[in-house]
Amino acid sequence: MDAFMDSVGSIFRGGDVLPWCDRDIIAGCEGEIAEAANEEQKNESLMRLSWALVHSRQPEDVNRGIGMLQASLDRHSSPLQTREKLYLLAVGHYRSGDYTRSRQLLERCLEIQPDWRQALTLQRLLEEKTRRDGMIGMAIITGAFGLVGLVAGGIIAAASSSSSSRKK
């Protein structure tokens, strides 16, 4: 459980990178749920498991966490619990590459608490990732157009050279 607390703590220390979670932590969280003595402990353990799943490197874990959070979002929750679930859903969608959905969830989360540092950090990461991916996409498109231009230029030059040779 120390690794879990270290991962959570990295967010509060102002780290720019979202923490990752491994299968041992997920298994520990699943064990906590099985050992929960009451409904409150079980709910707390389910939130820790959801956190661990959306922070996993395994896509199937992330998707499982998204499903768990989505199912629990409609249950009566305090604004604080709703904010936490929205944030974790945003993390899950960010990790799965669905940046549009992640952005929408972050906006809802920030409506509840506009100055929440975790959500603002994820929002900044999301903007940087989107901007970086956009630049890479533009470079690929520009490169492709350049390549097409070179090929077309080569074909025109070859055709032009060929027609010049025939005239002589």
Side-chain angles (χ1 to χ4, degrees):
M1 212 51 178
D2 289 335
F4 176 79
M5 295 310 290
D6 288 342
S7 294
V8 172
S10 72
I11 293 172
F12 296 107
R13 289 190 296 273
D16 285 350
V17 178
L18 292 175
W20 292 101
C21 193
D22 62 29
R23 295 271 175 150
D24 293 337
I25 294 172
I26 292 169
C29 292
E30 290 170 332
E32 280 183 23
I33 293 168
E35 296 171 5
N38 59 44
E39 198 63 28
E40 183 179 340
Q41 286 179 348
K42 184 177 179 180
N43 287 335
E44 289 174 11
S45 296
L46 283 167
M47 280 301 291
R48 279 193 290 278
L49 176 60
S50 298
W51 184 97
L53 289 168
V54 298
H55 286 87
S56 173
R57 293 184 188 272
Q58 306 302 317
E60 61 272 11
D61 291 339
V62 174
N63 289 333
R64 182 174 158 215
I66 290 170
M68 286 175 60
L69 287 160
Q70 198 65 53
S72 72
L73 196 57
D74 295 334
R75 292 187 203 137
H76 277 299
S77 298
S78 71
L80 179 64
Q81 289 171 328
T82 300
R83 180 198 74 171
E84 294 284 334
K85 290 174 185 180
L86 289 169
Y87 171 77
L88 290 175
L89 275 167
V91 169
H93 286 288
Y94 174 82
R95 286 277 164 85
S96 67
D98 187 350
Y99 304 134
T100 301
R101 184 68 179 134
S102 181
R103 184 176 289 110
Q104 292 167 346
L105 290 161
L106 279 174
E107 288 171 5
R108 286 180 56 197
C109 184
L110 289 168
E111 286 173 6
I112 296 169
Q113 187 176 351
D115 62 343
W116 192 29
R117 197 168 96 191
Q118 280 180 272
L120 292 169
T121 298
L122 179 56
Q123 187 177 47
R124 190 183 76 247
L125 289 173
L126 183 59
E127 289 168 2
E128 289 171 4
K129 176 78 172 154
T130 304
R131 189 177 321 111
R132 190 173 41 247
D133 287 355
M135 289 177 158
I136 291 170
M138 288 302 294
I140 290 170
I141 290 169
T142 302
F145 279 127
L147 182 61
V148 167
L150 283 173
V151 170
I155 292 171
I156 292 169
S160 179
S161 171
S162 171
S163 70
S164 295
S165 303
R166 282 189 227 145
K167 288 181 182 177
K168 291 183 180 178

